[in-house]
Amino acid sequence: MFADLHLHTNFSDGTFTPEELVANAVKQKLCAIALTDHDTLEGCERAAAACATAGIEFITGSELTAEQDDHEIHILGYFLDTQNEKLRTETGKFQLVRQNRIREMVARLNDLNIPLDVEDVFKLANCRAPGRPHVARALVKAGLIATLDEAFERFLKKDRPAWVPKMKTSAPDAIALIHQAGGLAVMAHPGLNRADQVIPGLVDAGLDGLECFHTKHPKATSEHYLQMAKQHGLLVTGGSDCHGLNKGRPLVGTVRLPYHRVEKLKAAVENRKSEIGNRK
Ligand code: AMP
Ligand code: FE
Ligand code: FE
Ligand code: ZN
């Protein structure tokens, strides 16, 4: 029994609909999945319905963009209450930041004599949480650039000419937002950050877990973070970070988290709930 706890749909920068994602999870014989679109929970209702039909377990989630000590940190929230008022308000704000950033990036491209129409980007993205991959896809679609990689390399990567820094919430605020919505907060793909020195600060802020298993974590990296999780008393998660078909073959199911890890997460959420209940 295996789970994949890091997946995107076209409600952010993935290409699959929630139903297509679930169909692929079934094909991969997963018994549980979590949807973790960037800064939104909108795909969760449809993904949950598709999972119920398919007979696999669904965990509500989102991947929040945050920062700690000048590092962009992605915080995964799991078991979130999608109706939580504050979570809905705050993710709404994060989405506006994303939309405004797209406008700024396209304006920079226009200044560089790249005639990309921002409305074409929004049309292609067709979601409230657009990101740089949508700009890259729109550039390719308009024939202004050959490949998505080239779009990032020439224009969109950090410090390239069309890159615009993203206003981010602080990691402690993101963790608190997740907690008040009943969720667990997990640092995504720490191996991509290469900033282990931020982890103790996140732990102090209430971090619950580390994503030890990820597509871009070689075995030694996973082992390193398993060790860190143990050292700090953190839960262990893992996921493929599948974005659909835009990065070659779909990754869903290529990182397989043993289900006993999911059971530990569920026990931690239940514990948290009963603690809050006892305090009331
Ligand atoms: P954003 O959230 O707008 O800053 O865009 C970040 C997203 O872009 C990540 O979640 C990845 O899906 C994607 N991405 C980041 N860097 C690259 C890259 N060099 N090539 C392709 N996709 C990338
Ligand atoms: Fe992404
Ligand atoms: Fe991420
Ligand atoms: Zn992701």
Side-chain angles (χ1 to χ4, degrees):
M1 304 244 290
F2 295 100
D4 185 340
L5 302 185
H6 192 152
L7 301 164
H8 295 269
T9 69
N10 58 1
F11 280 90
S12 69
D13 57 4
T15 64
F16 286 148
T17 62
E19 292 78 14
E20 288 166 344
L21 178 68
V22 172
N24 276 276
V26 170
K27 234 191 274 170
Q28 292 296 318
K29 300 199 165 26
L30 294 170
C31 70
I33 62 163
L35 180 58
T36 55
D37 271 318
H38 299 286
D39 297 322
T40 185
L41 289 133
E42 293 165 286
C44 287
E45 199 179 322
R46 277 171 54 185
C51 280
T53 307
I56 68 177
E57 187 174 340
F58 180 72
I59 297 165
T60 331
S62 185
E63 182 175 16
L64 304 183
T65 313
E67 85 186 315
Q68 173 87 350
D69 307 333
D70 287 328
H71 290 277
E72 179 169 320
I73 305 289
H74 294 178
I75 306 280
L76 298 160
Y78 290 117
F79 305 99
L80 297 163
D81 170 10
T82 57
Q83 299 308 311
N84 180 269
E85 204 60 44
K86 187 160 184 198
L87 183 61
R88 289 172 79 101
T89 309
E90 294 303 311
T91 49
K93 288 186 204 162
F94 301 156
Q95 291 157 20
L96 286 181
V97 166
R98 284 181 166 275
Q99 293 162 22
N100 289 330
R101 181 175 181 236
I102 298 283
R103 287 182 216 285
E104 276 186 64
M105 286 193 287
V106 172
R108 291 204 185 184
L109 286 167
N110 294 162
D111 288 344
L112 295 161
N113 290 321
I114 313 254
L116 182 67
D117 184 338
V118 72
E119 291 311 320
D120 288 344
V121 180
F122 286 132
K123 234 181 271 162
L124 180 146
N126 192 29
C127 70
R128 292 199 178 96
R132 283 178 290 164
H134 296 117
V135 179
R137 284 180 223 156
L139 281 167
V140 171
K141 193 174 173 205
L144 295 165
I145 208 152
T147 66
L148 300 174
D149 272 346
E150 192 188 339
F152 271 92
E153 285 305 320
R154 278 181 60 194
F155 299 113
L156 300 173
K157 256 169 73 162
K158 186 165 190 280
D159 298 326
R160 293 292 196 271
W163 176 75
V164 172
K166 185 156 56 184
M167 271 213 322
K168 297 175 277 283
T169 191
S170 77
D173 285 353
I175 293 168
L177 182 62
I178 288 165
H179 284 168
Q180 66 81 43
L184 295 177
V186 173
M187 182 186 181
H189 43 63
L192 298 190
N193 282 101
R194 296 164 193 267
D196 289 2
Q197 71 278 11
V198 305
I199 293 176
L202 299 176
V203 172
D204 288 343
L207 189 75
D208 300 292
L210 265 189
E211 188 179 51
C212 296
F213 304 102
H214 182 271
T215 301
K216 293 195 173 156
H217 285 184
K219 194 157 180 261
T221 305
S222 295
E223 276 162 11
H224 169 73
Y225 287 109
L226 283 168
Q227 188 55 41
M228 280 204 90
K230 202 171 187 183
Q231 182 192 337
H232 291 285
L234 296 168
L235 294 158
V236 170
T237 75
S240 65
D241 211 351
C242 176
H243 280 73
L245 289 173
N246 58 327
K247 290 176 182 167
R249 94 184 160 107
L251 293 173
V252 49
T254 56
V255 171
R256 303 174 79 81
L257 186 73
Y259 189 73
H260 72 87
R261 301 270 189 199
V262 178
E263 284 177 330
K264 290 217 174 82
L265 297 176
K266 285 170 34 174
V269 183
E270 287 310 316
N271 244 332
R272 175 86 40 82
K273 271 192 201 144
S274 60
E275 272 171 28
I276 293 169
N278 289 343
R279 257 185 263 139
K280 273 182 189 161

mmCIF file of all heavy atoms in Angstrom, residues 22 29 130 147 151 153 176 180 201 271:
data_model
loop_
_atom_site.group_PDB
_atom_site.id
_atom_site.type_symbol
_atom_site.label_atom_id
_atom_site.label_comp_id
_atom_site.label_asym_id
_atom_site.label_seq_id
_atom_site.Cartn_x
_atom_site.Cartn_y
_atom_site.Cartn_z
ATOM 1 N N VAL A 22 -6.441 11.625 -10.803
ATOM 2 C CA VAL A 22 -6.906 10.464 -10.029
ATOM 3 C C VAL A 22 -6.858 9.206 -10.905
ATOM 4 O O VAL A 22 -6.437 8.142 -10.445
ATOM 5 C CB VAL A 22 -8.317 10.724 -9.455
ATOM 6 C CG1 VAL A 22 -8.880 9.458 -8.822
ATOM 7 C CG2 VAL A 22 -8.264 11.873 -8.439
ATOM 8 N N LYS A 29 -1.788 2.187 -9.090
ATOM 9 C CA LYS A 29 -2.170 1.350 -7.944
ATOM 10 C C LYS A 29 -1.847 2.012 -6.597
ATOM 11 O O LYS A 29 -1.452 1.344 -5.628
ATOM 12 C CB LYS A 29 -1.507 -0.033 -8.029
ATOM 13 C CG LYS A 29 -1.901 -0.808 -9.290
ATOM 14 C CD LYS A 29 -1.638 -2.276 -9.135
ATOM 15 C CE LYS A 29 -2.298 -3.164 -10.161
ATOM 16 N NZ LYS A 29 -2.612 -2.619 -11.463
ATOM 17 N N PRO A 130 -1.969 31.282 -11.164
ATOM 18 C CA PRO A 130 -1.031 31.088 -12.273
ATOM 19 C C PRO A 130 0.420 31.236 -11.803
ATOM 20 O O PRO A 130 0.691 31.860 -10.772
ATOM 21 C CB PRO A 130 -1.394 32.230 -13.236
ATOM 22 C CG PRO A 130 -1.963 33.298 -12.360
ATOM 23 C CD PRO A 130 -2.655 32.584 -11.225
ATOM 24 N N THR A 147 11.221 26.220 -26.524
ATOM 25 C CA THR A 147 10.897 25.223 -25.498
ATOM 26 C C THR A 147 10.672 25.880 -24.138
ATOM 27 O O THR A 147 11.111 26.999 -23.894
ATOM 28 C CB THR A 147 12.053 24.203 -25.330
ATOM 29 O OG1 THR A 147 13.194 24.902 -24.802
ATOM 30 C CG2 THR A 147 12.419 23.528 -26.641
ATOM 31 N N ALA A 151 12.574 29.068 -22.167
ATOM 32 C CA ALA A 151 11.853 30.200 -21.568
ATOM 33 C C ALA A 151 12.379 30.480 -20.165
ATOM 34 O O ALA A 151 12.630 31.633 -19.795
ATOM 35 C CB ALA A 151 10.353 29.921 -21.536
ATOM 36 N N GLU A 153 15.351 29.393 -18.915
ATOM 37 C CA GLU A 153 16.790 29.712 -18.951
ATOM 38 C C GLU A 153 17.031 31.147 -19.389
ATOM 39 O O GLU A 153 17.858 31.855 -18.834
ATOM 40 C CB GLU A 153 17.530 28.746 -19.886
ATOM 41 C CG GLU A 153 17.734 27.350 -19.314
ATOM 42 C CD GLU A 153 18.440 27.367 -17.957
ATOM 43 O OE1 GLU A 153 19.374 28.170 -17.778
ATOM 44 O OE2 GLU A 153 18.027 26.589 -17.078
ATOM 45 N N ALA A 176 1.346 28.693 10.811
ATOM 46 C CA ALA A 176 0.220 29.045 11.698
ATOM 47 C C ALA A 176 -1.105 28.996 10.936
ATOM 48 O O ALA A 176 -2.123 28.545 11.476
ATOM 49 C CB ALA A 176 0.441 30.428 12.304
ATOM 50 N N GLN A 180 -4.199 26.616 12.084
ATOM 51 C CA GLN A 180 -5.525 27.101 12.482
ATOM 52 C C GLN A 180 -6.617 26.527 11.560
ATOM 53 O O GLN A 180 -7.790 26.578 11.901
ATOM 54 C CB GLN A 180 -5.552 28.632 12.595
ATOM 55 C CG GLN A 180 -5.369 29.403 11.299
ATOM 56 C CD GLN A 180 -6.636 29.503 10.476
ATOM 57 O OE1 GLN A 180 -7.704 29.753 11.009
ATOM 58 N NE2 GLN A 180 -6.510 29.281 9.159
ATOM 59 N N GLY A 201 14.597 26.791 12.772
ATOM 60 C CA GLY A 201 13.658 27.912 12.911
ATOM 61 C C GLY A 201 12.239 27.492 12.554
ATOM 62 O O GLY A 201 11.265 27.903 13.206
ATOM 63 N N ASN A 271 -4.522 13.602 17.113
ATOM 64 C CA ASN A 271 -3.935 14.046 18.373
ATOM 65 C C ASN A 271 -4.115 15.530 18.571
ATOM 66 O O ASN A 271 -4.517 15.999 19.631
ATOM 67 C CB ASN A 271 -2.432 13.777 18.340
ATOM 68 C CG ASN A 271 -2.046 12.788 19.382
ATOM 69 O OD1 ASN A 271 -2.723 12.699 20.403
ATOM 70 N ND2 ASN A 271 -0.984 12.050 19.142
#
